[in-house]
Amino acid sequence: PVGSALGQRGLNIMQFCKEFNERTAGYLPEVPVPVVITAYKDKSFNFVTKTPPVSYFLRKAAGIGKGSSLPGTDVAGSVGLRAVYEIAKVKQVDQPHVPLQSIAKSVVGTAKSMGLQVVRE
């Protein structure tokens, strides 16, 4: 999907891919990396990589492939408070002005929406 989005705006796809690969060289290939691209009128661009989604971290912490199809009814797995705190610390990079406690509450909400139980360890 990136190629068509960049191509529609006349941006250099190869340049983007080269820069993206350089910035994400430390990530494993299966890790999703969100990107925000800003395209300018002169066909140049700038992009910012974000941390992987909370759902990715929660699936890894719980050891599951996907969340529950019926959250609130079916339990897909469980995740500990320590994992929630660690995920919140990682996500705080994207939201430096948001308190860690608020990010942790958001992570708990995402876990519940995926059918994960948050347990004390």
Side-chain angles (χ1 to χ4, degrees):
V2 173
S4 60
L6 295 176
Q8 287 176 355
R9 288 160 181 79
L11 302 178
N12 187 335
I13 297 169
M14 291 305 294
Q15 181 184 358
F16 170 79
C17 289
K18 181 180 173 187
E19 289 181 34
F20 178 81
N21 288 337
E22 287 173 2
R23 289 191 198 179
T24 60
Y27 288 100
L28 295 173
E30 67 271 7
V31 176
V33 181
V35 177
V36 177
I37 302 172
T38 305
Y40 301 105
K41 290 182 181 181
D42 65 354
K43 307 284 186 206
S44 64
F45 62 89
N46 186 15
F47 69 95
V48 177
T49 57
K50 302 286 187 172
T51 58
V54 170
S55 59
Y56 170 79
F57 288 124
L58 287 170
R59 285 194 313 270
K60 287 293 184 184
I64 61 173
K66 66 176 191 167
S68 172
S69 57
L70 297 169
T73 305
D74 291 342
V75 176
S78 63
V79 65
L81 284 176
R82 182 177 306 264
V84 168
Y85 175 73
E86 293 299 324
I87 293 168
K89 283 193 338 189
V90 171
K91 292 304 287 181
Q92 195 173 32
V93 172
D94 290 341
Q95 306 170 32
H97 302 296
V98 178
L100 187 61
Q101 184 177 3
S102 297
I103 297 171
K105 286 180 181 180
S106 175
V107 172
V108 169
T110 302
K112 289 181 179 181
S113 73
M114 294 174 63
L116 294 174
Q117 287 183 329
V118 179
V119 296
R120 293 183 191 259
E121 299 163 303

